[in-house]
Every structure is written in C-alpha cells, then in structure tokens.
Amino acid sequence: EAGVAQSPRYKIIEKRQSVAFWCNPISGHATLYWYQQILGQGPKLLIQFQNNGVVDDSQLPKDRFSAERLKGVDSTLKIQPAKLEDSAVYLCASSPFGGAPEQYFGPGTRLTVT
Amino acid sequence: LAKTTQPISMDSYEGQEVNITCSHNNIATNDYITWYQQFPSQGPRFIIQGYKTKVTNEVASLFIPADRKSSTLSLPRVSLSDTAVYYCLVVGYTNAGKSTFGDGTTLTVKP
C-alpha cells in the first residue's frame, strides 16, 4: 500500500512570496490533515478535511494560508504572502473514516523563508 | 480538546524496558489514545492506539487505567534505533474533532 505523498520535499522562498504544497493521501482515506511543525515542537493542526469538507480550521491563519481538497482526494496548502515565522515543516496525514483513529503521515515539506 | 502532558526527555540503555507516561486529564468519553514515533526529518509514525485497559502489538504495549486520565507506552528491550521523539495524541473516534500534539518525549537510548 502506497503511503502519503507530499511534494516538494524542500522549498526556499523569500518573505512576501507565495508557495504551495501538495499532498496525495492513502487511497480510500477520507480524512486529511495539514500540520505545521516548528523545529523542537510537536505538530500543530492547521486544517482537517473530511472528504472535501472542512472539519476544523480554527488554527489556520486565514489571512495568509488557504487549503483545498478537490474531489475529496488530493489537497493543496498555500501560503501567500509568506513570513519569516512560517519557516517550518508542513506535514500531511490521512486516516480512514469510521475506523481506528490512527493517522498516517507523509514525509513533510521543509519550508525556509528568508 | 484533550491537552496532553509528557516528560520532555528520558534516557535509557539498550536492552531495557522504557515506559513513557502521558497525562490527559480532560479526555472525553469518545476519545481514543494514540502514540506516535518521530525520527529527525521524517513524519510521525503511528505506533499503537487504545481506548482502555491494555493493548499490545509487535512493537509496544499501551496501558490505560480505568479513569483513562493517563496512559503509558511501554517499549520492551529498546535498541539504539528507538532513539526518537514519542508523542501521545488524544483524538475522537471518527476523527471529526480537534487533535493536538504536545511537544513529545525525546527518548535517548545509550549503548
């Protein structure tokens, strides 16, 4: 079974630029999560989708971050404009609906904002 | 939203059993307890999950007391490769709810 795929793996941009991250969850997984992990901290949930509907986006900085999940499969997280404090690893995870609550994580995208 | 508290760090030696405890005092009736392992430059990896009593799989055991306000991850006979950060995460059964990781426990296994 293929795991969660993310791209790119690394991205370096200047502040005020925009960036987008892509995630392809495990086939059949209805729930998709985006997390932000700052060095030395645990992952912080940004947004949770159930199929293509948003379940929780209370910690998503909506003035600069946006996310969508078209057709309930792939998802894209965008930052526009980026700030220095957005430097972090962005993790995508997925889990099956109605089953055990474990989450399966992708390798993450390391973003550096200069 | 169940907030979790874990020790910041733990040291152990190869071959020993390691127990990492997580406190989650405001766990809800429908919440499950999950544990993850994270190596540098990788995403967290699911280890084990449970609701109550004891759960065991091929890599770990999870002990949950009757009041469910804490849980203990037990790693038998650790090796150097078990050096990692371990997180407990409390999450609703249908995943339709908020899930928040704490800062985890950094386990260092020494030779």
Side-chain angles (χ1 to χ4, degrees), chain B residues 3 16-17 21 23-24 26-27 34 37 51 61 63 82-83 89-90 93 104 108-110:
Chain B
K3 177 178 169 59
Q16 289 188 333
E17 178 184 73
T21 297
S23 173
H24 28 80
N26 58 340
I27 188 169
T34 57
Q37 175 192 57
Y51 183 79
S61 294
F63 299 91
D82 292 317
T83 294
L89 177 67
V90 174
Y93 177 73
T108 302
V109 180
K110 302 175 182 178

Side-chain angles (χ1 to χ4, degrees), chain A residues 4 25-26 29 31-33 69 92-96 102-105:
Chain A
V4 176
I26 293 173
H29 280 195
T31 307
L32 186 146
Y33 310 79
R69 190 181 185 196
C92 179
S94 69
S95 61
E102 64 263 30
Q103 299 177 28
Y104 299 88
F105 284 80

Side-chain angles (χ1 to χ4, degrees), chain A residues 1-105:
Chain A
E1 179 181 75
V4 176
Q6 290 188 247
S7 67
R9 290 296 313 277
Y10 305 92
K11 189 74 176 178
I12 300 174
I13 62 172
E14 296 181 350
K15 59 184 180 183
R16 292 187 289 273
Q17 286 186 324
S18 63
V19 64
F21 312 125
W22 173 81
C23 173
N24 183 255
I26 293 173
S27 177
H29 280 195
T31 307
L32 186 146
Y33 310 79
W34 281 103
Y35 289 89
Q36 179 193 60
Q37 186 171 28
I38 293 172
L39 187 64
Q41 299 181 16
K44 171 188 170 184
L45 180 66
L46 294 176
I47 189 166
Q48 177 182 342
F49 291 96
Q50 187 77 25
N51 296 307
N52 60 351
V54 176
V55 173
D56 179 17
D57 63 356
S58 58
Q59 299 192 92
L60 185 73
K62 299 181 184 65
D63 58 334
R64 298 185 300 107
F65 286 63
S66 65
E68 61 181 4
R69 190 181 185 196
L70 299 176
K71 301 180 181 179
V73 182
D74 292 8
S75 178
T76 302
L77 177 70
K78 297 179 181 178
I79 307 175
Q80 181 179 10
K83 293 184 176 181
L84 295 176
E85 59 261 36
D86 298 331
S87 293
V89 175
Y90 291 84
L91 295 161
C92 179
S94 69
S95 61
F97 174 73
E102 64 263 30
Q103 299 177 28
Y104 299 88
F105 284 80

Side-chain angles (χ1 to χ4, degrees), chain B residues 19-33:
Chain B
N19 296 308
I20 305 174
T21 297
C22 179
S23 173
H24 28 80
N25 290 317
N26 58 340
I27 188 169
T29 302
N30 293 330
D31 287 345
Y32 273 67
I33 300 154

Side-chain angles (χ1 to χ4, degrees), chain B:
Chain B
L1 180 62
K3 177 178 169 59
T4 60
T5 303
Q6 302 174 232
I8 294 174
S9 63
M10 296 182 67
D11 289 343
S12 183
Y13 291 91
E14 283 189 293
Q16 289 188 333
E17 178 184 73
V18 171
N19 296 308
I20 305 174
T21 297
C22 179
S23 173
H24 28 80
N25 290 317
N26 58 340
I27 188 169
T29 302
N30 293 330
D31 287 345
Y32 273 67
I33 300 154
T34 57
W35 283 82
Y36 293 81
Q37 175 192 57
Q38 187 176 30
F39 298 113
S41 300
Q42 295 185 23
R45 181 180 75 99
F46 171 77
I47 300 174
I48 195 167
Q49 63 97 4
Y51 183 79
K52 60 180 179 180
T53 64
K54 176 184 175 182
V55 179
T56 298
N57 63 21
E58 62 276 9
V59 298
S61 294
L62 179 59
F63 299 91
I64 305 169
D67 66 7
R68 305 202 325 124
K69 293 184 176 182
S70 66
S71 58
T72 299
L73 174 72
S74 180
L75 303 172
R77 299 179 297 282
V78 294
S79 64
L80 297 177
S81 62
D82 292 317
T83 294
V85 180
Y86 292 83
Y87 297 95
C88 73
L89 177 67
V90 174
V91 63
Y93 177 73
T94 62
N95 294 304
K98 301 178 183 182
S99 56
T100 300
F101 283 85
D103 288 337
T105 298
T106 299
L107 172 66
T108 302
V109 180
K110 302 175 182 178

